[in-house]
Amino acid sequence: MSRRIPAVLLGTGAAAAVLAGCTSTAPADNAGGGGPIAVNATDTACAVATTSAPAGKISFDITNGGSKVTEFYLYGEGDRIMGEVENIGAGLSRNLIVEVPDGGTYTTACKPGMVGDGVRAPFTVTGNAQRQVDQNTKLAEATAGYKRYVDSQVGALVPKTQEFVDAVKAKNVERAKALFPISRTYWERIEPVAESFGDIDPKIDGREDDERDPGVGFTGYHRLEKDLWVTGLQPDSPAIADRLQADIADLANRTKTVELTPVQLANGAKELLDEVATGKITGEEDRYSHTDLYDFKANVEGSQAAVSALRPVIDEKNKALGTTLDARFADVEKLLENYRQGDGFRLYTSLNDDDKKKMTAAVDALAEPVSQVAGAVTA
Amino acid sequence: MNGKDPETVSRRRLFGLAGAGVALAGAGAAAGFGAARASDGPADGVVAFRDTHQAGIVTPAQDRLHFVALDLSTADRSAVQDLFRRWTDAAERMTSGGEVTVNGAVGLNPQSPPTDTGEALGLAPSSLTLTFGIGASLLAKLGLTDRRPPALIDLPRFTADQLEPARSGGDLCIQACADDPQVAVHAIRNLVRMGFGTTEVRWSQLGFGRTSSTSTEQATARNLFGFKDGTNNLKAEDPAQLDEHVWAQAADGCDWMAGGTYLVARRIRMHIEVWDRTSLDEQEKVIGRSKGEGAPLTGQAEFDTADLAAQGPDGEPVIPEDSHIRLASAESLRGVRMLRRGYNFVDGSDGAGHLDAGLFFVAFVRDPGRQFVPMQRALSRKDTLMEYIEHSGSAVFACPPGLSAPGSYWGQALFV
């Protein structure tokens, strides 16, 4: 959570008006004209039945035939997420409907184990769907696209936190420790949205030393983190765990109706990097578990998702900015990959001052162009 | 104000102090510092940015310093070249009292972060100078080692060096000097910000209280040992000496550096708590000068010539063999001289109950290997003063000649 007063991110009436009529979660009955495209995902492959589709609504049926939990993405330029499904368990199938109005080259990706760049392949979209291409339409598509991202993250956050909560309640400390950074990933990717509900964030992500009103206790992820890593599970740990799940459910419920403006997207992208600069590089956030690099990665991914959603508008206003953003996001990702350990990351305490200096430089280099996005999309 | 861009407004004009009002306000402020300081800076507080030589070298030493050493975070020449161009434009604006960009602090898109950080709004130009230097490591990173000037050496290790890597070296440097510390900090802060993604800060040093005078019109200032420092410094009024000791010449083997100079920076931590327990007599013997007047121990007045041969009644030299001014004198060093432009610093405390204080030594020389190295060798081996100091940082940079041609930019010679 950020250490300042949460900015209210809720949309205004004007923003809602812009968004009206631009939802993309329409039924799939007209999907691509040819029915859903089958995707067979395994631990090593991502077989997409056909590598092209006409512009419009495209529907994918993803089946996870592997042993690892997987994700499926359709990316546009600059890894702009056109659509994604998170948290597809082994043996399960999920459907994804993506609205792709412009023809061009896209990328499909499965992410077995939910890590790395995934197994990628080019995907061609032909022709152009009929639509208005004025400025408001593009901005509305951006906010709608980001809203889909938020929905997908919340859709994974709820079950992943439940798994963590169940492990705590079963007093399975090792499993709970392993699930802690995983469930937080979905939280950290959309944290600015969560922070917009000012009362939820302190309950879910507050720190032990935060100032609280009389009678309000230390709850949420970090309270359980301390129990698991430092003090051992306490008599009230199961109740704290249930409370966390209830707060997450409250968040999920509220995000259903959240309306975001393009400026809020842009500022959210910047705030996520501010989180990295002030909370992760200092090792402040996950002070008991030292799993800060998971959060770091999730913040950067969330920032990139918001920027990518705005990418068509950025490209129109300032083409060079988009290119710079691509390069700088790639630099940070590359740097983080140096600290991989298995499917996760090394503990933050294993990093030396030189490592931290490199991260500071990379985040500064990225945050500067990201801070230009809000101005670019409103210019 | 420079005439290049009529939109380059003084930051002060924002607050209604236009035209003559600016000059009057500047003169009034300067008068407050007394006669010695009133003549230190130019009347309008603007030191010319474009000249034969870079400003901030022989131009009158201001009282405040913010020095930064940066490393490249890319090997992309065009990105570096683009940054140098943008830096030069911003530097020219800021030295003339303007913002990083026109109306950059508050007059642009409110949805964007301001392009100027704003803390210098309402402040005078304050004689700001920005001096640019290139380290040997920059040339290596950009594949330009064939352009390396022979004089741009890596310093050897000296006896008792306690150099910290995080305070040493750097691919390039920018020295900001000003009458007002906030103006100097504003300049460095904004240039650093512009560099994100292309450069990153390696180390940075604040300084207060110039320890050297670079003009005969300036009084000699004192360092934190309480002694006048830089009495025998080279001065702007002696161009022949500057050509011999400071400015690189075409014959020195590097065309692009002719008219430039080499900057040697040394962060010298002073153990002032120990020094302060030393008797006045001992302090004066360590330095070789009187503490009050600053005269050599063989003379009466500050600028009296030191008589290194003079002996006392006991047959010992009056200016001790291991005294600082003897070892650092041109006579002892076969005529070697340098232009010193250092600053005092106190970087808070060291966590162990002492002030982290000292002298940020900056010298400009034509050839570090022939000028700085022999002096530092002599000092580090024999100088009694070494008991009270330690060198914690070190760097050498090539400062190219001035940007007299309109539109020319920092480091341009590297890209042609």
Side-chain angles (χ1 to χ4, degrees), chain A residues 163-199:
Chain A
E163 287 176 27
F164 169 64
V165 162
D166 290 346
V168 169
K169 291 170 73 178
K171 297 191 169 50
N172 189 340
V173 172
E174 285 316 303
R175 178 165 163 79
K177 281 182 168 182
L179 291 170
F180 171 79
I182 307 297
S183 64
R184 285 184 58 75
T185 293
Y186 303 97
W187 163 261
E188 289 285 332
R189 283 180 185 154
I190 57 165
E191 199 171 357
V193 178
E195 278 179 10
S196 70
F197 312 114
D199 56 330

Side-chain angles (χ1 to χ4, degrees), chain B residues 63-391:
Chain B
D63 259 329
R64 303 292 181 152
L65 168 85
H66 191 181
F67 190 103
V68 67
L70 301 126
D71 284 337
L72 295 184
S73 39
T74 175
D76 178 353
R77 272 192 217 181
S78 63
V80 175
Q81 184 178 17
D82 176 61
L83 176 63
F84 287 2
R85 274 202 191 98
R86 292 186 293 117
W87 266 351
T88 306
D89 182 59
E92 187 166 13
R93 283 177 182 286
M94 290 191 285
T95 53
S96 65
E99 300 173 49
V100 171
T101 58
V102 177
N103 297 325
V106 294
L108 303 178
N109 184 346
Q111 298 301 337
S112 291
T115 56
D116 182 290
T117 55
E119 72 273 28
L121 287 177
L123 299 180
S126 305
S127 311
L128 174 68
T129 55
L130 291 163
T131 313
F132 172 77
I134 292 164
S137 51
L138 178 138
L139 300 175
K141 284 185 186 175
L142 295 183
L144 295 167
T145 44
D146 57 324
R147 312 296 291 275
R148 181 170 176 169
L152 183 59
I153 58 163
D154 299 318
L155 293 180
R157 190 182 182 284
F158 298 105
T159 303
D161 268 0
Q162 299 281 327
L163 303 182
E164 300 169 31
R167 297 188 193 275
S168 300
D171 293 344
L172 55 97
C173 75
I174 302 170
Q175 171 194 268
C177 300
D179 301 331
D180 184 330
Q182 186 136 324
V183 170
V185 168
H186 168 262
I188 293 298
R189 173 188 180 182
N190 280 274
L191 295 172
V192 165
R193 180 186 174 202
M194 291 169 70
F196 284 139
T198 306
T199 56
E200 58 196 61
V201 172
R202 183 176 177 89
W203 55 269
S204 164
Q205 182 69 53
L206 288 173
F208 66 91
R210 62 179 170 83
T211 60
S212 303
S213 49
T214 53
S215 163
T216 53
E217 292 182 16
Q218 289 183 304
T220 310
R222 291 179 187 269
N223 61 30
L224 292 183
F225 284 147
F227 279 77
K228 289 184 181 175
D229 204 335
T231 296
N232 276 338
N233 205 17
L234 289 168
K235 303 280 164 57
E237 289 80 1
D238 196 345
Q241 288 275 311
L242 296 178
D243 278 345
E244 184 178 346
H245 299 289
V246 178
W247 303 126
Q249 307 293 320
D252 294 350
C254 181
D255 290 347
W256 67 271
M257 273 297 291
T261 183
Y262 298 88
L263 185 160
V264 179
R266 302 282 288 187
R267 184 181 189 271
I268 305 173
R269 168 88 188 268
M270 289 175 165
H271 297 294
I272 55 175
E273 292 82 0
V274 180
W275 176 260
D276 294 346
R277 291 192 280 268
T278 306
S279 72
L280 177 62
D281 183 59
E282 174 70 9
Q283 289 185 5
E284 292 186 333
K285 281 185 175 146
V286 166
I287 302 295
R289 288 184 181 276
S290 66
K291 197 168 185 178
E293 167 64 23
L297 295 181
T298 55
Q300 302 299 317
E302 182 191 349
F303 292 98
D304 286 354
T305 304
D307 180 357
L308 298 176
Q311 294 184 341
D314 57 358
E316 293 294 317
V318 176
I319 297 174
E321 293 289 355
D322 52 5
S323 69
H324 185 70
I325 66 161
R326 175 186 292 275
L327 293 168
S329 69
E331 293 87 328
S332 302
L333 297 169
R334 298 181 190 168
V336 162
R337 302 187 68 186
M338 54 187 73
L339 179 80
R340 296 182 46 193
R341 213 173 186 282
Y343 287 84
N344 298 320
F345 70 81
V346 177
D347 290 348
S349 50
D350 65 0
H354 283 176
L355 295 181
D356 185 2
L359 170 71
F360 185 66
F361 171 98
V362 175
F364 292 97
V365 295
R366 181 174 166 188
D367 186 344
R370 284 184 34 244
Q371 295 168 272
F372 178 77
V373 171
M375 184 203 71
Q376 187 52 27
R377 279 230 164 91
L379 291 178
S380 64
R381 285 179 192 168
K382 298 177 198 155
D383 192 354
T384 325
L385 197 57
M386 290 299 289
E387 291 178 19
Y388 303 95
I389 62 178
E390 67 187 39
H391 286 236

